[in-house]
Amino acid sequence: MTQRIALVTGGSRGLGKNAVLKLAAAGTDIIFTYNSQREAALQVVAEIEQMGAKAVALQLNVSDVASFSEFAQQVKAQLHQVWGRESFDYLVNNAGVGLYAAFAETSEALFDELMNIHFKGPFFLTQQLLPLLADGGRILNVSTGLARFALPGYAAYASMKGAMEVLTRYQAKELGARGISVNSIAPGAIETDFGGGHLRDNADLNRYVASQTALGRTGLPDDIGDAIAALLSDNLRWMNAQRIEVSGGMFL
């Protein structure tokens, strides 16, 4: 069997880092992007290589659509140089930022930033990478539990993720002829540095989320990394156009 290769955006920190480490542990080689944290990215490469997998880190600002053509050429070159291949198998659109603002106070600049990073960027990056994605490959778009339940302050962020969930179904419909399946994973509240690390560092917020979660605790990065690795496994190759929430049962 050909060695599987996953391309994960935003893999130098947070859930993306956990996902690439879990995928590597499962035997998948990795290409991942980072925005500005080059040293952190190189450390992740080293961790993956210690597992016996291959890894490449490439710089990418997912909000800069004009850079995507050049980025695709870099991916193509790395595939050829490192793996002797013309394609990769899995695309995980993970990169993002957590920006908080009440609906009435959301500025156009904040709206545009969230749209560019969470919707426009993944839309056109996936489009640009389609020629390099293997037939029979997989796309996994990272959404959020906030697209199902509503918490004040996340109107713009959650709206972009809701758009990605709709896009997921259209991608599945249009790419099915190539055998490509497309799903979205919607994490609940996870203890990371996302959004300034509020959930991780605020004990009162942490207790509140745990009290509203059926399994009685907040989520941990491993909960999502393990789920991403599972969703990209061959065991779930027939699943398509689905939204899978991994939240421990928040706000049921």
Side-chain angles (χ1 to χ4, degrees):
M1 184 179 71
T2 303
Q3 174 62 37
R4 305 290 175 85
I5 304 168
L7 194 163
V8 181
T9 63
S12 64
R13 48 170 288 277
L15 296 184
K17 174 182 176 180
N18 193 277
V20 299
L21 293 175
K22 293 292 186 178
L23 286 166
T28 300
D29 287 345
I30 304 293
I31 300 171
F32 72 90
T33 74
Y34 65 95
N35 183 24
S36 59
Q37 300 182 24
R38 175 175 164 78
E39 291 304 315
L42 294 178
Q43 179 59 42
V44 175
V45 168
E47 289 184 53
I48 292 171
E49 290 176 342
Q50 288 171 4
M51 298 179 187
K54 295 178 181 178
V56 171
L58 298 174
Q59 196 279 329
L60 178 69
N61 177 352
V62 294
S63 70
D64 183 10
V65 174
S67 71
F68 291 172
S69 178
E70 180 182 349
F71 174 74
Q73 290 304 311
Q74 292 178 26
V75 172
K76 184 176 182 179
Q78 290 297 321
L79 286 169
H80 180 74
Q81 180 179 328
V82 178
W83 288 278
R85 282 186 54 181
E86 302 296 325
S87 64
F88 64 94
D89 303 284
Y90 312 132
L91 172 61
V92 182
N93 284 307
N94 164 76
V97 295
L99 298 176
Y100 175 95
F103 168 73
E105 299 166 2
T106 299
S107 66
E108 184 179 1
L110 178 62
F111 181 96
D112 287 346
E113 182 178 3
L114 287 167
M115 180 182 68
N116 289 338
I117 293 172
H118 289 284
F119 183 58
K120 183 179 179 181
F123 187 106
F124 288 104
L125 180 62
T126 302
Q127 185 185 82
Q128 191 70 233
L129 292 173
L130 280 179
L132 300 176
L133 182 61
D135 289 352
R138 317 272 271 282
I139 297 171
L140 186 62
N141 295 319
V142 176
S143 181
T144 175
L146 292 161
R148 174 180 64 85
F149 51 78
L151 290 175
Y154 297 100
Y157 171 80
S159 294
M160 307 312 164
K161 292 300 193 179
M164 283 301 296
E165 292 185 7
V166 173
L167 177 62
T168 293
R169 296 192 291 274
Y170 276 84
Q171 289 173 330
K173 185 74 169 180
E174 296 192 21
L175 301 178
R178 290 182 51 191
I180 296 171
S181 65
V182 190
N183 296 288
S184 62
I185 179 172
I190 309 295
E191 294 182 26
T192 69
D193 60 358
F194 193 73
H198 296 306
L199 177 67
R200 180 194 60 199
D201 302 332
N202 185 320
D204 290 338
L205 177 61
N206 198 294
R207 279 193 294 270
Y208 171 72
V209 170
S211 74
Q212 299 300 313
T213 302
L215 292 180
R217 65 169 174 83
T218 56
L220 300 172
D222 278 353
D223 296 322
I224 307 304
D226 284 334
I228 289 174
L231 291 172
L232 294 177
S233 73
D234 286 345
N235 294 334
L236 290 175
R237 61 186 176 275
W238 191 238
M239 184 175 67
N240 197 18
Q242 300 304 302
R243 175 194 190 271
I244 300 92
E245 183 172 313
V246 184
S247 69
M250 278 188 69
F251 297 118
L252 297 180

